[in-house]
Amino acid sequence: MYFRIGEVSHLVGVDTHVLRYWESEFSLIKPFRGKSKQRLYRRQDVENLLRIKGLLHDEGYTISGAKKYLKNLNREPQSEQEKTFPTTPLSKDDTILLQIKHELREILTRLSGAN
């Protein structure tokens, strides 16, 4: 199943131009292009975009820092903790929780600015 860029933009919570920029910066985001040349994203792409958004917006990583972090995820686990708790793709529940977390942060920011 594929998602169009507008749908992905809504799911991830960023504008379409941000998705296109992240596509140019992160090699793991490779949407398929159909006959109409429109970007079609797979579920894995959406999960990766949510992970990237979390790193950049929630965790405070820079683009280069997020690239390094994601590159290190692809390596084999080095520590005992990494072997015990491997990184897995985001589940549907995790995706929803990330969206809720983002919305709560936005509310907190608006409330903080109202003072």
Side-chain angles (χ1 to χ4, degrees):
M1 181 172 172
Y2 291 102
F3 301 92
R4 293 182 178 163
I5 193 166
E7 296 168 322
V8 175
S9 171
H10 181 71
L11 288 171
V12 177
V14 296
D15 291 333
T16 57
H17 71 273
V18 174
L19 295 176
R20 290 190 294 271
Y21 175 69
W22 288 352
E23 178 187 333
S24 71
E25 290 293 319
F26 296 93
S27 60
L28 68 147
I29 307 300
K30 295 182 183 185
F32 170 76
R33 292 197 182 239
K35 293 178 184 177
S36 65
K37 304 292 186 201
Q38 186 173 24
R39 288 171 172 83
L40 299 172
Y41 294 85
R42 298 167 296 149
R43 178 185 174 144
Q44 184 65 40
D45 291 324
V46 175
E47 290 172 355
N48 287 330
L49 286 165
L50 286 167
R51 182 175 286 139
I52 289 168
K53 181 186 177 195
L55 291 172
L56 298 176
H57 293 201
D58 300 331
E59 303 293 328
Y61 280 77
T62 61
I63 294 282
S64 62
K67 284 181 187 177
K68 289 177 187 176
Y69 178 86
L70 293 170
K71 183 179 177 182
N72 288 335
L73 282 180
N74 293 333
R75 293 186 308 150
E76 289 189 27
Q78 294 179 352
S79 70
E80 284 301 314
Q81 183 179 10
E82 289 176 329
K83 290 177 185 173
T84 307
F85 303 106
T87 303
T88 58
L90 295 175
S91 70
K92 184 176 181 181
D93 291 336
D94 291 336
T95 303
I96 292 168
L97 289 174
L98 282 173
Q99 287 177 317
I100 292 169
K101 181 179 177 182
H102 177 70
E103 290 173 11
L104 288 172
R105 285 181 189 253
E106 285 181 1
I107 292 168
L108 183 61
T109 301
R110 289 180 185 169
L111 290 174
S112 297
N115 293 334

